[in-house]
Amino acid sequence: MSLPYLKDAVAAGDRDTLLRYVRLHLGDGDEDVGRREIDKAWVQALVPLLDLPQVDRAFVLDTLATKDHATLAHLFFSLHFHLVRQSGEWIHDGTL
Amino acid sequence: MTARSETQLRPGLWETVNARYPGSMISNDDVVTLAPLARPVSQCRLTFVSSAGVQPRGTLPFDVVHPVGDYTFRRVPSQARPDDLEIHQLKYPTDGALRDLNVIFPITRLQELVADGVVGSLAPSFYSFIGYNMDPQLLERTLAEDIADAVVADAAEIALLAPA
């Protein structure tokens, strides 16, 4: 999708188009794959926390408090790809 | 879609891609006339421009996770060896290129063509970026213009363009 198309969707409040784009991006052009990839990332995020390991909450809180919204949004996308790669089921043809 | 686009694209491609990525297919009727070569290729300085996401090891990786793309480019020394380079790109199969970078970024082959006298010389740098960019106007205004300026500054007489 071209950026103007996405910005039109934002202006129109067309959330479905934006979500479809995210799924296409994460699924390398396949929306259903994108859905599964999102699910995969959430499982990868959940499992390491089940045993209540100690985590660096100071780092997390400081990052959330001090970084701008765009950087945090980019971090969100970065974490998605990082987690799905860690899962061992890497669907993408290339490398991060 | 313009008549010219119709002739440039594989039949049905426009509809297929637009069905999958609505709004992604754009047309641009601007035409820049190809410059005629002033002398034989064997006397010309050649550069190479690629959307393969190839970059020198140790340089900042292309931003392959950004949802609307990365509009930067990397200079790749034309005398580099494939082992000096790496690929950061998610959107095309890189298996073959990881075995032999020359299948997507033929730097060794171009060096050989110079050694054989087929091409006069190589510009000091080749140029690489990633093709996953959702803003075609920004791509044209910044990335394409910046690479074009760099190619001119390198005094390249031939630019070999290769999409990934």
Side-chain angles (χ1 to χ4, degrees), chain A residues 1-7 20-21 24-31 74 77-78 81 90 92-96, chain B residues 19-24 26 63-68 87-95 98 132 134-136:
Chain A
M1 293 181 193
S2 67
L3 192 58
Y5 182 88
L6 295 173
K7 287 188 172 179
R20 182 167 186 237
Y21 176 68
L24 287 167
H25 175 46
L26 302 182
D28 274 358
D30 188 314
E31 194 174 356
H74 190 284
F77 276 97
S78 300
F81 283 102
W90 184 245
H92 305 285
D93 290 323
T95 52
L96 282 171
Chain B
R20 202 160 191 177
Y21 290 103
S24 66
I26 61 166
D63 188 354
V64 297
V65 307
H66 198 295
V68 296
I87 303 170
H88 287 280
Q89 174 61 290
L90 294 180
K91 304 298 185 182
Y92 72 86
T94 53
D95 280 358
L98 292 175
Y132 184 80
M134 295 297 106
D135 187 344

Side-chain angles (χ1 to χ4, degrees), chain B residues 56-138:
Chain B
R57 291 187 186 278
T59 56
L60 182 67
F62 284 112
D63 188 354
V64 297
V65 307
H66 198 295
V68 296
D70 182 339
Y71 300 83
T72 65
F73 68 87
R74 303 288 182 273
R75 291 176 191 269
V76 177
S78 61
Q79 296 307 315
R81 296 171 298 119
D83 287 349
D84 300 329
L85 307 174
E86 60 187 4
I87 303 170
H88 287 280
Q89 174 61 290
L90 294 180
K91 304 298 185 182
Y92 72 86
T94 53
D95 280 358
L98 292 175
R99 288 197 297 276
D100 180 1
L101 191 77
N102 284 286
V103 301
I104 194 81
F105 197 87
I107 189 166
T108 310
R109 300 291 88 78
L110 292 173
Q111 292 165 355
E112 290 169 352
L113 288 175
V114 172
D116 292 345
V118 177
V119 174
S121 63
L122 300 179
S125 296
F126 293 161
Y127 296 91
S128 175
F129 60 100
I130 59 173
Y132 184 80
N133 289 308
M134 295 297 106
D135 187 344
Q137 291 179 332
L138 182 61

Side-chain angles (χ1 to χ4, degrees), chain A residues 15-26:
Chain A
R15 187 171 165 272
D16 288 345
T17 290
L18 299 175
L19 281 173
R20 182 167 186 237
Y21 176 68
V22 171
R23 292 180 190 127
L24 287 167
H25 175 46
L26 302 182

